[in-house]
Amino acid sequence: MRGDLTNEIVTITIQKNLNQRAISLNQKSHFGKLEDDILELSIIEAFYLMEDGRLKIYESSKDDKKLEPNYIRNIIKENNGYVKYLVYKDLKDRGYIIKTGFKYGSDFRLYERGKSPSEGHSDYLVKIIHENYDINALDFASYVRVSHGVKKNLLIAVVDDEKDITYYMVEWIRP
């Protein structure tokens, strides 16, 4: 399947009776955002599909050049998003449905396995932190407060120098 890269968004144009796989990616696997005849994927979603062999990414220009995985990886790394990709990949491989958490000040919203975004709200907010990051107590409290306020659990993904990921569930408890 072909996707065209423009400004860190990969679009798949859906032609009638073609690209049914693109529609399935959205409706069954919950990748991207489907609008009219276009499926929009974040560069992280597209790279995941590219590494999995389900998507070929092309430069959206006059050259129409097929892009290599290392090129996409480097774009993600340049924008400090590679650790985010590693967490995305790990959670996706575990069967979770992942959407952006931008609206809640987190990296991702996470839906429990088998639960569709159209069936209700996400269960978790995911915040990614590198193990060497000094987190401010007020910032940490705000992450917990926001997640509690929107009735979601907070999952902290701590990534170490070897790219191993450890998850911590943080809950709000009233004394």
Side-chain angles (χ1 to χ4, degrees):
M1 185 170 21
R2 177 195 173 109
D4 295 306
L5 175 66
T6 308
N7 299 325
E8 296 187 30
I9 299 292
V10 175
T11 56
I12 300 171
T13 302
I14 300 166
Q15 300 167 354
K16 203 168 200 168
N17 297 325
L18 298 172
N19 289 358
Q20 291 304 310
R21 291 186 318 183
I23 294 170
S24 178
L25 278 175
N26 178 261
Q27 294 177 350
K28 291 183 181 176
S29 301
H30 307 286
F31 282 96
K33 184 169 71 172
L34 188 60
E35 289 189 18
D36 299 323
D37 62 344
I38 293 178
L39 176 61
E40 287 186 351
L41 301 170
S42 72
I43 197 161
I44 288 176
E45 290 174 307
F47 186 55
Y48 178 83
L49 292 168
M50 181 186 219
E51 279 197 322
D52 199 35
R54 295 192 275 171
L55 181 66
K56 292 176 177 59
I57 301 175
Y58 290 80
E59 193 171 46
S60 184
S61 69
K62 295 176 185 174
D63 296 339
D64 199 38
K65 183 175 96 176
K66 182 180 171 194
L67 302 173
E68 296 299 320
N70 280 337
Y71 180 81
I72 302 298
R73 183 180 293 108
N74 286 335
I75 291 173
I76 293 170
K77 284 181 177 181
E78 285 173 10
N79 295 315
N80 297 321
Y82 194 65
V83 169
K84 188 174 181 178
Y85 171 73
L86 294 174
V87 173
Y88 177 91
K89 181 180 182 344
D90 184 61
L91 292 169
K92 197 71 172 165
D93 288 348
R94 293 172 188 251
Y96 290 99
I97 295 169
I98 305 164
K99 295 293 183 183
T100 181
F102 180 76
K103 176 174 157 180
Y104 302 105
S106 65
D107 294 294
F108 301 120
R109 286 176 293 138
L110 193 64
Y111 292 81
E112 197 62 63
R113 290 176 219 133
K115 186 175 175 184
S116 166
S118 61
E119 294 172 358
H121 298 286
S122 58
D123 300 296
Y124 302 94
L125 294 179
V126 179
K127 188 71 179 168
I128 303 168
I129 298 173
H130 190 275
E131 73 174 343
N132 295 325
Y133 177 72
D134 291 330
I135 189 164
N136 178 306
L138 293 176
D139 290 341
F140 188 76
S142 72
Y143 304 151
V144 176
R145 199 169 44 251
V146 167
S147 65
H148 176 73
V150 294
K151 297 182 171 102
K152 297 180 189 333
N153 294 308
L154 177 62
L155 201 59
I156 303 289
V158 179
V159 183
D160 66 20
D161 288 333
E162 288 80 36
K163 309 293 187 250
D164 291 325
I165 305 164
T166 305
Y167 297 97
Y168 297 95
M169 178 129 61
V170 182
E171 296 178 356
W172 179 281
I173 299 174
R174 289 192 184 220

